[in-house]
């Protein structure tokens, strides 16, 4: 079921509620929170299908992505407001509490949910992300220079074909070299994303959004919700020191590693990523030490 969710005056988010396909008569919901400037359709269908075997799955488009409202220049917002949007999506579907999964910026938003709305989060799984305030540490590296150079052209005007070429080049860098890169597959994904949005430009709104209120890393130790941090060793944005730092900072954090994974959900990591998420959401992992 698809619907539009009002989250602020003049701001609506596209959201999709996918029923569970398994035999559980009362499947628990999972909320998927995607990364910066990325539509909810970026979640691979195969991963969504695997999660739906055990859960009701909800995904959505952030502001200024997909079919949600694009109006950053008229109504700018802070990154922290996107975390409140995630809670509003749960409200819209009458979900009091969900397992929440966040990738990249989505992982930052999940951390804000853990601090500001912990009662709404049954468990959390985050990957390809950094701890709140983490970039202030000299021990935690910034994104790769090659990626930073590409980001300088994120919002450049391009026709559709040139935009697709840029996005595939972006995914190639994000994926790293630990798994085979399927350029045709990512091009097909981005064609779907563009068709879904009805536009091909990238306003880079999330890169321009204010970062007030994100320096809250010291508060993570008090989090009581179980959190799984998935380490992606080939991640060029948040390489392995970040995942370990986040897991140690959390009150109930644990760390698992998916060999070869970069800052992308490539075909070869769908199965181990789904297994890790389901192990967390079903409580099938070993007890906390």
């Amino acid at each position: 079921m698809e619907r539009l969710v009002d989250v602020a005056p003049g701001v609506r988010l596209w959201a999709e509620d996918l029923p569970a396909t398994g035999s559980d008569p009362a499947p628990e919901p999972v909320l998927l929170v995607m990364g910066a400037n990325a539509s909810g359709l970026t979640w691979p269908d195969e991963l969504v299908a695997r999660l739906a075997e055990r859960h009701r799955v909800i995904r959505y488009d952030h502001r200024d992505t997909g079919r949600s409202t694009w109006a950053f220049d008229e109504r700018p917002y802070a990154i922290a407001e996107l975390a409140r949007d995630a809670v509003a999506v749960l409200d819209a579907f009458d979900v009091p509490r969900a397992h929440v999964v966040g990738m990249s910026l989505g992982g930052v938003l999940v951390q804000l949910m853990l601090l500001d709305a912990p009662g709404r989060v049954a468990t959390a799984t985050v990957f390809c992300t950094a701890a709140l305030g983490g970039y202030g540490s000299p021990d935690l590296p910034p994104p790769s220079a090659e990626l930073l150079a590409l980001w300088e052209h994120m919002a450049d005007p391009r026709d559709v074909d040139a935009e697709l070429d840029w996005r595939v080049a972006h995914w190639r860098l994000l994926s790293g070299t630990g798994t085979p890169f399927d350029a045709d597959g990512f091009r097909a994904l981005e064609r779907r994303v563009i068709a879904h949005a009805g536009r091909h430009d990238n306003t880079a709104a999330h890169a321009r959004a204010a970062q007030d209120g994100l320096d809250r890393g010291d508060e993570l130790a008090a989090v009581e919700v179980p959190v799984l941090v998935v380490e992606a060793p080939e991640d060029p944005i948040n390489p392995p020191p970040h995942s370990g730092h986040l897991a140690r900072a959390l009150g109930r954090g644990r760390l698992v590693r998916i060999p070869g994974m970069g800052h992308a959900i490539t075909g070869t990591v769908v199965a181990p990523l789904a297994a890790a998420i389901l192990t967390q959401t079903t409580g099938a992992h070993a007890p906390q030490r």
Side-chain angles (χ1 to χ4, degrees), residues 35-38 62-65 77 79 82 105 204-209 211:
N37 305 301
H62 293 298
R63 304 181 190 205
D64 294 279
T65 74
Y77 48 82
I79 291 295
L82 300 180
L105 175 68
H206 301 162
R208 297 185 286 140
Q211 298 191 21

Side-chain angles (χ1 to χ4, degrees), residues 47-64:
L47 176 65
V48 172
R50 286 175 180 263
L51 298 180
E53 292 174 3
R54 299 292 298 271
H55 295 284
R56 170 188 177 189
V57 180
I58 299 170
R59 60 181 173 179
Y60 68 100
D61 291 337
H62 293 298
R63 304 181 190 205
D64 294 279

Side-chain angles (χ1 to χ4, degrees), residues 73-113:
D73 291 330
E74 295 78 29
R75 290 186 291 275
Y77 48 82
I79 291 295
E81 199 161 345
L82 300 180
R84 293 189 284 272
D85 288 351
V87 176
V89 170
L90 293 180
D91 290 341
F93 288 105
D94 297 319
V95 173
R97 196 170 75 142
H99 302 282
V100 185
V101 179
M103 176 179 181
S104 193
L105 175 68
V108 172
L109 303 183
V110 171
Q111 292 173 64
L112 291 173
M113 292 176 69

Side-chain angles (χ1 to χ4, degrees), residues 11-12 23 42 44 47 76-77 88 107 110-111 158 170 185 190 197 217 240 250 252 272:
V11 180
R12 286 184 162 185
S23 58
T42 308
L47 176 65
Y77 48 82
V110 171
Q111 292 173 64
R158 290 179 282 266
H170 189 216
E190 289 298 342
L250 286 157
R252 295 187 63 189

Side-chain angles (χ1 to χ4, degrees), residues 164 176 255:
L164 284 168
L255 184 70

Side-chain angles (χ1 to χ4, degrees), residues 9 21 37 67-68 77 82 95 98 120 126 143 148 152 163 166 179 194 230 233 243 250 270:
T21 58
N37 305 301
R67 293 181 186 171
S68 294
Y77 48 82
L82 300 180
V95 173
R120 309 301 298 272
V126 297
L148 290 173
E152 291 181 1
E163 177 65 20
W166 189 94
T179 62
I194 288 172
V230 177
S243 48
L250 286 157
V270 166

Side-chain angles (χ1 to χ4, degrees), residues 34-224:
M34 186 34 74
N37 305 301
S39 161
L41 257 63
T42 308
W43 292 101
D45 288 342
E46 183 183 352
L47 176 65
V48 172
R50 286 175 180 263
L51 298 180
E53 292 174 3
R54 299 292 298 271
H55 295 284
R56 170 188 177 189
V57 180
I58 299 170
R59 60 181 173 179
Y60 68 100
D61 291 337
H62 293 298
R63 304 181 190 205
D64 294 279
T65 74
R67 293 181 186 171
S68 294
T69 301
W70 294 57
F72 181 82
D73 291 330
E74 295 78 29
R75 290 186 291 275
Y77 48 82
I79 291 295
E81 199 161 345
L82 300 180
R84 293 189 284 272
D85 288 351
V87 176
V89 170
L90 293 180
D91 290 341
F93 288 105
D94 297 319
V95 173
R97 196 170 75 142
H99 302 282
V100 185
V101 179
M103 176 179 181
S104 193
L105 175 68
V108 172
L109 303 183
V110 171
Q111 292 173 64
L112 291 173
M113 292 176 69
L114 290 168
L115 297 180
D116 297 332
R120 309 301 298 272
V121 185
T123 69
T125 302
V126 297
F127 58 98
C128 301
T129 195
L132 291 171
Y135 282 118
S137 170
D139 298 325
L140 298 172
S144 72
E146 190 176 9
L147 199 53
L148 290 173
L150 188 65
W151 285 349
E152 291 181 1
H153 303 283
M154 182 181 297
D156 289 358
R158 290 179 282 266
D159 63 24
V160 174
D161 289 338
E163 177 65 20
L164 284 168
D165 289 343
W166 189 94
R167 294 188 189 189
V168 172
H170 189 216
W171 280 120
R172 187 183 298 276
L173 284 182
L174 292 176
S175 298
T177 59
T179 62
F181 181 71
D182 180 6
D184 291 340
F186 276 103
R187 187 175 294 272
L189 168 65
E190 289 298 342
R191 286 190 185 278
R192 284 184 58 209
V193 167
I194 288 172
H196 170 71
R199 56 191 293 174
H200 71 275
D201 58 324
N202 184 347
T203 63
H206 301 162
R208 297 185 286 140
Q211 298 191 21
D212 302 1
L214 299 187
D215 191 14
R216 301 175 64 186
D218 291 344
E219 299 177 45
L220 295 175
V223 171
E224 297 183 354

